[in-house]
Amino acid sequence: LAKNGFNAHNYGGIHIHVSRNAISDDQLAKLIMLLYPKTNKVYEQWLAITQRKERKMEEWSTMDPDSLDYGKKDTIERAKAGYRKINDEKRYHAINTQNTNTIEFRIFNSNLRIERITKNAEVIFSLLDFTNTSKLPTMTNYLNFVCENKEKYMYLYNFLLEKKIWQSKEQKE
């Protein structure tokens, strides 16, 4: 792509669409709870995973935790209600629900490297798989899930290690 004049990194983004039929309401609420973090540490982890700069994240797909008022007690129903309120206003959110047939994930920076593009797809696949579980939708549980399934999400797992977002047991020792 680079040899053919394509640009990347902050020239736009990679938006991934998933059929609405593939995501239940409860799953969507869990995705919201993951992608609209309540702590700066988790927000920083998402910025690293998505390879976005904060300014560009704010411009193209807000993940501002203060924009969602789903309360101190994070419940699925409160997450859904809070998200509906802000997503009705505009499409520039981490999870855009304004399309008729798809849910759009607008979180990734543009990229020309196949392993990074594959990593981005694996983020979405892993998020969908993870939110199908009964585990509490926290960043720690999600990262544990990815690591438990590192063969399935090889590019994402390697990226997490490379960027020191997650450490293997060997690295921790």
Side-chain angles (χ1 to χ4, degrees), residues 32-33 36 38 64-71 79 82-84 86:
I32 290 163
M33 292 167 75
Y36 288 83
K38 289 290 188 185
D64 178 13
D66 295 329
S67 66
L68 286 181
D69 184 22
Y70 55 87
Y83 188 74
R84 273 190 224 101
I86 64 157

Side-chain angles (χ1 to χ4, degrees), residues 33-91:
M33 292 167 75
L34 278 168
L35 291 176
Y36 288 83
K38 289 290 188 185
T39 68
N40 285 337
K41 178 185 176 193
V42 174
Y43 180 67
E44 294 297 323
Q45 288 173 311
W46 279 119
L47 286 176
I49 291 169
T50 62
Q51 298 178 269
R52 288 268 196 192
K53 301 264 189 262
E54 187 169 18
R55 182 178 60 80
K56 287 295 182 180
M57 182 66 83
E58 290 170 359
E59 181 180 341
W60 292 105
S61 57
T62 187
M63 291 176 80
D64 178 13
D66 295 329
S67 66
L68 286 181
D69 184 22
Y70 55 87
K72 291 186 173 131
K73 185 177 180 186
D74 298 340
T75 66
I76 288 175
E77 287 308 312
R78 286 184 186 197
K80 286 192 283 192
Y83 188 74
R84 273 190 224 101
K85 180 179 165 189
I86 64 157
N87 201 239
D88 287 343
E89 298 167 9
K90 61 180 183 169
R91 66 184 297 113

